[in-house]
């Protein structure tokens, strides 16, 4: 990790042009988007045995690649640990950071980064072995808790511990894999990270997922989404609007399965705008008319992405909950594309 | 400054050359600093060391000598990390030296079996990457040892379990109503409860893993250095010592080791410096050393340049102090003219 951060710092110190001017231009030139993702968090960003990346965060990058370059395959995935991720983005090693990253004021205001749109509303939770019979996070007095460094999690844990006088003892690991190993070997009484992350780790790493329970308490708000560098409003707008577009597509029930049919049959002006059959919305972003249609056709709308990666039929078995559309009682609200 | 500096007759040309080299170097650093500053500014990244006085807001699982509370500032957190680094490095240096000396002596012995065992150990240990050894030690502690509710007890004073090592010993504190207050010396004995081992003297598996990994790894290199140092003492001296009736241990103590030490010290210093720097791998097993704290601070504040600068400077100072001490020690062994 030090090498990556040092590389990033060298870029800044020497003012080498580690990234050249406008992100969109350089992406077109490379014909590829560099997307920073998790090193291995099932459902969000993980490579399978063939080296193919899957996950919700991964699909967001693919959707953007489809909108910008016409193909969802034109993405180079760069796996990053939590401490590496911001330096990688600041230094220009990646074009977009889509790695279950929490939006917060410090990150938005002081680190030269822009938060785009929330792709997953989450909250920090705890996982404990079922045999301990713990029912609430408030029972974790003096407990050792495994946590990954470089996350908002560390600070939330401390806040929660102070507020409830729990005096928990954090054991902080740089790598997710090491934190997982320490928890499952019994070194820590509890494991803390975003609730979705816990579900992912439980489904993929536990010998028997039933032996571990995720406690109902959520101790923080964790709005997760992609980040981009500051100073490039054009690229910022593209990432934001592709995400809103995927949400809008769900709202208007445009899916990867029906989009071809809709292109010839739909008469709904909103749908026609989204799939590039009437107004040219793409040119406002410097993209072509079918920008969003390509994303939807190749990756699917938000619902498809959600269900494919983390939904109830996946090992993570997450309900839509806060991530349902606003019209279904959730928080996901695609800004209107018009 | 060495005395001959003034005595040497440098020509004007040489002076001009040297001074302009210094000025040139200085300018390069000023330029680098300026570039960094401007680049950070243009990218909207806030910078400065002012954050050191903000409350840290995170807890540290393990501290040495001083306690840490999340309301204390970042610089205290860095100090806690530094103390943890110093603790693991100094103990590591002590154990690695003892083990290395013993192995080096054994590898120089005439007993074939002992020699073979030592050679195997040295080759095995120094050819496996330290990080892998470190992770193996950690897995060994947390995966294969009994739970803390049922620890392995050695001599009624060493309690070994998944949660580390608890041991008996004197402590300069007495517990009063759960809070610790200075008092008289008090004999601590670990007690096994269903919740684990209760003891005032504990070492966590994270600390023990990094300590063992550093000690074992470095001892293999030290053993080689010791062996080479011993081999450098002319055989005639050993024979001469034996002929005047010294026993083998006496030959080592009075004839071989003092001479070998002169050759051993400089490469030994290198090993000590390596050990200190290698202790930064502690972050891999969750021991809160300086790098681990630096990582956390970096991520909470986003001040990457500042945090990495602090880390580099602290390791630089630590290394300079150690090499200064070792050089000082070396003078004692030098041939007196």
């Amino acid at each position: 990790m030090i090498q990556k951060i040092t590389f990033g710092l060298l870029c800044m110190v020497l003012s080498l042009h580690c990234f050249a001017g406008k992100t969109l231009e350089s992406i077109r030139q490379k014909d590829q988007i560099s997307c920073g993702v998790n090193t291995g968090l099932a459902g969000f960003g993980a490579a399978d045995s063939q080296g193919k990346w899957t996950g919700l965060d991964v699909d967001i990058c693919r959707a953007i690649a489809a909108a910008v370059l016409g193909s969802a395959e034109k993405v180079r995935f760069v796996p990053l640990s939590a401490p590496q991720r911001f330096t990688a983005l600041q230094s220009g090693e990646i074009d977009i950071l889509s790695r279950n990253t929490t939006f917060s004021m410090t990150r938005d205001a002081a680190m030269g980064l822009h938060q785009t749109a929330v792709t997953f509303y989450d909250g920090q939770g705890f996982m404990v072995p079922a045999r301990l019979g713990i029912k609430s996070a408030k029972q974790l007095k003096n407990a050792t808790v495994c946590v990954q460094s470089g996350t908002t999690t560390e600070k939330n844990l401390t806040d929660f511990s102070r507020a409830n006088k729990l005096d928990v003892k954090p054991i902080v690991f740089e790598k997710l894999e090491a934190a997982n190993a320490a928890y499952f070997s019994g070194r820590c009484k509890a494991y803390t990270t975003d609730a979705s992350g816990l579900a992912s780790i439980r489904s993929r790493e536990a010998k028997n997922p039933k032996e571990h329970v995720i406690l109902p308490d959520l101790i923080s708000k964790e709005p997760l989404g992609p980040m981009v560098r500051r100073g490039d409003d054009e690229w910022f707008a593209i990432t934001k609007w592709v995400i809103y577009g995927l949400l809008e597509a769900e709202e208007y029930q445009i899916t990867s399965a029906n989009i071809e049919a809709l292109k010839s049959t739909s008469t709904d002006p909103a749908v026609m705008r989204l799939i590039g059959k009437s107004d040219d919305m793409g040119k406002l972003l410097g993209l072509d008319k079918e920008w969003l249609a390509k994303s939807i056709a190749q990756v699917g709308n938000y619902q498809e992405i959600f269900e494919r990666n983390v939904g109830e039929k996946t090992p993570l078995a997450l309900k839509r909950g806060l991530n349902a559309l606003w019209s279904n009682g959730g928080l996901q609200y695609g800004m209107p594309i018009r | 400054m060495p005395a001959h500096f003034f005595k040497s007759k440098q020509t004007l040309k040489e002076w001009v050359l040297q001074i302009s080299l210094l000025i040139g170097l200085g300018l390069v650093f000023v330029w680098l600093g300026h570039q960094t500053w401007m680049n950070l500014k243009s990218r909207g990244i806030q910078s400065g060391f002012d954050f050191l006085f903000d409350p840290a807001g995170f807890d540290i699982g393990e501290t040495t000598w001083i306690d840490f509370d999340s309301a204390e500032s970042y610089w205290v957190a860095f100090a806690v990390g530094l103390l943890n680094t110093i603790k693991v490095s100094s103990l590591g240096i002590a154990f690695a030296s003892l083990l290395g000396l013993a192995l080096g002596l054994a590898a120089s012995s005439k007993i074939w079996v002992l020699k073979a065992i030592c050679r195997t150990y040295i080759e095995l240990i120094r050819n496996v990457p330290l990080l892998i050894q470190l992770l193996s030690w950690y897995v060994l502690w947390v995966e294969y040892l009994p739970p803390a509710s049922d620890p392995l007890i050695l001599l009624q004073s060493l309690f070994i379990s998944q949660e580390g090592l608890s041991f008996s010993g004197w402590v300069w504190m007495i517990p009063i109503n759960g809070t610790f207050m200075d008092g008289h010396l008090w004999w601590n004995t670990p007690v096994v409860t269903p919740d684990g081992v209760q003891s005032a003297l504990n070492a966590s598996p994270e600390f023990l893993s990094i300590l063992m990994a550093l000690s074992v790894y470095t001892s293999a290199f030290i053993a080689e250095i010791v062996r080479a140092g011993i081999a450098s003492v002319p055989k005639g001296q050993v024979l001469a010592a034996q002929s005047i009736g010294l026993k083998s241990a006496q030959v080592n103590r009075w004839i071989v080791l003092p001479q070998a030490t002169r050759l051993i010290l400089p490469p030994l210093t290198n090993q000590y410096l390596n050990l200190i720097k290698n202790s930064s791998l502690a972050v891999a097993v969750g021991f809160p050393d300086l790098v681990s704290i630096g990582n956390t601070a970096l991520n909470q504040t986003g001040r990457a340049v500042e945090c990495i600068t602090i880390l580099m400077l602290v390791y630089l100072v630590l290394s300079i102090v150690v090499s200064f001490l070792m050089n000082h020690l070396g003078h004692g062994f030098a041939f007196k003219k």
Side-chain angles (χ1 to χ4, degrees):
Chain A
M1 97 112 205
I2 289 293
Q3 293 92 309
K4 277 213 168 151
I5 291 187
T6 312
F7 170 77
L9 292 183
L10 274 183
C11 291
M12 290 179 209
V13 172
L14 299 176
S15 182
L16 300 173
H17 283 276
C18 297
F19 65 96
K22 294 272 180 201
T23 312
L24 185 58
E25 273 167 37
S26 89
I27 285 171
R28 287 211 168 112
Q29 223 162 43
K30 292 183 296 181
D31 200 28
Q32 198 179 46
I33 291 177
S34 297
C35 171
V37 291
N38 202 301
T39 51
L41 185 67
F44 288 87
D48 64 14
S49 51
Q50 272 93 50
K52 189 175 162 56
W53 286 89
T54 56
L56 189 139
D57 291 337
V58 163
D59 278 350
I60 297 294
C61 280
R62 288 194 203 280
I64 295 168
V68 175
L69 299 170
S71 162
E73 296 307 310
K74 291 184 175 173
V75 190
R76 184 173 69 97
F77 292 103
V78 182
L80 297 169
S81 79
Q84 290 167 349
R85 56 186 161 177
F86 300 118
T87 322
L89 184 59
Q90 288 165 341
S91 66
E93 194 186 347
I94 53 174
D95 302 312
I96 178 170
L97 175 70
S98 183
R99 187 202 173 283
N100 53 297
T101 299
T102 304
F103 292 173
S104 75
M105 180 165 159
T106 309
R107 288 173 178 179
D108 197 38
M111 290 172 60
L113 307 173
H114 268 315
Q115 294 160 179
T116 58
V118 178
T119 52
F120 194 95
Y121 287 98
D122 210 341
Q124 183 176 340
F126 292 90
M127 175 161 69
V128 292
R131 65 182 158 76
L132 296 181
I134 292 174
K135 294 277 172 279
S136 155
K138 293 189 176 146
Q139 288 170 267
L140 291 169
K141 197 154 176 57
N142 297 324
T144 47
V145 180
C146 283
V147 50
Q148 198 193 357
S149 76
T151 57
T152 46
T153 321
E154 267 183 279
K155 225 167 179 164
N156 294 336
L157 175 66
T158 302
D159 287 353
F160 181 72
S161 165
R162 274 177 81 89
N164 295 286
K165 301 197 169 50
L166 296 179
D167 205 19
V168 301
K169 197 171 147 247
I171 304 184
V172 182
F173 295 89
E174 184 190 351
K175 298 237 184 305
L176 183 69
E177 294 76 9
N180 293 347
Y183 169 73
F184 287 110
S185 71
R187 169 65 185 115
C188 305
K189 208 172 198 178
Y191 191 120
T192 185
T193 186
D194 299 343
S196 63
L198 292 175
S200 163
I201 291 160
R202 180 171 67 172
S203 77
R204 188 153 142 158
E205 311 289 339
K207 282 188 197 98
N208 179 2
K210 290 204 179 74
E211 286 173 0
H212 300 272
V213 288
I214 295 170
L215 299 177
D217 330 51
L218 292 183
I219 65 168
S220 69
K221 291 184 286 188
E222 305 289 329
L224 312 181
M227 289 190 179
V228 294
R229 261 185 307 282
R230 272 199 191 197
D232 191 341
D233 298 349
E234 196 184 13
W235 177 237
F236 176 46
I238 291 172
T239 52
K240 215 165 43 171
W241 285 100
V242 170
I243 298 167
Y244 291 145
L246 298 173
L247 289 166
E248 284 269 279
E250 180 186 355
E251 199 168 333
Y252 290 98
Q253 291 168 5
I254 309 166
T255 67
S256 56
N258 70 12
I259 188 166
E260 281 311 312
L262 285 175
K263 275 182 189 169
S264 45
T265 59
S266 178
T267 51
D268 182 338
V271 173
M272 287 166 70
R273 217 169 16 239
L274 287 176
I275 61 181
K277 280 287 127 189
S278 53
D279 321 21
D280 187 351
M281 303 306 288
K283 91 176 162 208
L284 305 179
L285 294 170
L287 303 176
D288 61 27
K289 200 172 170 184
E290 298 218 306
W291 62 290
L292 191 56
K294 287 176 190 159
S295 295
I296 300 168
Q298 294 179 37
V299 186
N301 66 27
Y302 182 77
Q303 181 181 29
E304 293 177 89
I305 293 174
F306 189 99
E307 296 303 339
R308 180 190 319 137
N309 294 301
V310 298
E312 300 201 62
K313 292 204 182 81
T314 67
L316 270 69
L318 298 178
K319 294 194 171 61
R320 284 295 288 270
L322 290 177
N323 292 295
L325 288 183
W326 63 285
S327 45
N328 297 333
L331 292 176
Q332 288 294 3
Y333 187 100
M335 302 294 158
I337 293 189
R338 59 172 179 251
Chain B
M1 214 171 270
H4 59 77
F5 185 87
F6 297 106
K7 287 181 198 155
S8 63
K9 287 179 192 139
Q10 307 221 8
T11 61
L12 183 67
K13 198 174 133 197
E14 281 167 339
W15 275 106
V16 170
L17 266 174
Q18 292 180 36
I19 290 173
S20 42
L21 183 70
L22 273 180
I23 293 176
L25 261 176
L27 283 176
V28 168
F29 279 106
V30 169
W31 178 77
L32 284 176
H34 177 74
Q35 282 293 318
T36 312
W37 179 253
M38 296 310 283
N39 280 324
L40 289 173
K41 226 172 169 177
S42 72
R43 285 174 205 191
I45 301 171
Q46 292 181 4
S47 49
F49 286 94
D50 52 319
F51 77 95
L52 284 173
F53 301 98
D54 292 341
F58 57 87
D59 269 332
I60 301 175
E62 200 172 339
T63 58
T64 307
W65 298 309
I66 56 174
D67 280 332
F68 183 76
D69 182 274
S70 58
E72 281 173 276
S73 28
Y74 276 103
W75 75 265
V76 183
F78 272 104
V80 168
L82 174 61
L83 287 175
N84 278 340
T85 292
I86 290 176
K87 175 168 80 169
V88 81
S89 303
S90 49
L91 284 173
I93 284 175
F95 287 133
S97 305
L98 290 175
L99 196 56
L101 179 64
L103 283 163
L105 287 174
S108 317
S109 89
K110 291 196 199 75
I111 306 162
W112 181 82
V113 182
L114 199 59
K115 212 168 163 170
I117 293 174
C118 290
R119 293 286 345 148
T120 318
Y121 173 93
I122 291 169
E123 291 306 330
L124 207 69
I125 295 296
R126 69 173 181 175
N127 289 314
V128 176
L130 177 56
L131 183 61
I132 294 176
Q133 293 189 29
L134 173 61
L135 292 173
S136 310
W137 282 114
Y138 190 58
V139 169
L140 183 81
W141 270 105
V142 299
E143 199 91 57
Y144 295 105
L145 289 176
S149 50
D150 178 27
L152 212 69
I153 301 173
L154 296 178
L155 305 168
Q156 283 307 307
S157 57
L158 279 181
F159 292 58
I160 302 170
S161 78
Q162 218 177 28
E163 288 180 14
L165 184 72
S166 300
F167 47 95
S168 308
W170 294 102
V171 252
W172 181 252
M173 271 173 194
I174 46 164
I176 294 174
N177 301 333
T179 58
F180 282 84
M181 197 183 127
D182 284 11
H184 48 80
L185 274 180
W186 166 68
W187 181 254
N188 165 66
T189 321
V191 184
V192 181
T193 70
D195 281 340
V197 184
Q198 303 292 325
S199 165
L201 294 172
N202 298 294
S204 71
E206 291 77 30
F207 170 72
L208 292 164
S209 307
I210 180 74
L211 179 60
M212 290 195 293
L214 288 175
S215 309
V216 168
Y217 183 73
T218 313
S219 75
F221 291 89
I222 293 181
E224 274 298 89
I225 293 170
V226 170
R227 195 185 59 81
I230 290 171
S232 74
V233 177
K235 219 171 188 141
Q237 297 211 12
V238 178
L239 294 176
Q242 284 167 341
S243 73
I244 58 168
L246 293 183
K247 296 200 183 72
S248 159
Q250 290 172 315
V251 176
N252 270 338
R253 173 70 187 87
W254 299 111
I255 308 296
V256 179
L257 286 180
Q259 299 190 68
T261 310
R262 279 185 302 117
L263 282 161
I264 289 173
L265 278 179
L268 190 64
T269 309
N270 278 340
Q271 290 306 322
Y272 288 176
L273 298 183
N274 281 345
L275 187 143
I276 293 172
K277 284 173 281 181
N278 284 340
S279 74
S280 62
L281 288 173
V283 65
V285 291
F287 179 69
D289 76 326
L290 186 64
V291 172
S292 168
I293 304 292
N295 262 347
T296 300
L298 188 160
N299 277 279
Q300 302 297 349
T301 59
R303 307 280 169 96
V305 177
E306 292 80 353
C307 289
I308 299 282
T309 308
I310 292 175
L311 292 189
M312 291 200 296
L313 284 179
V314 171
Y315 278 103
L316 183 70
V317 169
L318 267 184
S319 296
I320 288 175
V321 168
V322 169
S323 39
F324 175 80
L325 288 177
M326 291 297 284
N327 284 341
H328 197 70
L329 191 65
H331 287 308
F333 285 95
F335 279 131
K336 304 285 186 300
K337 281 179 188 164

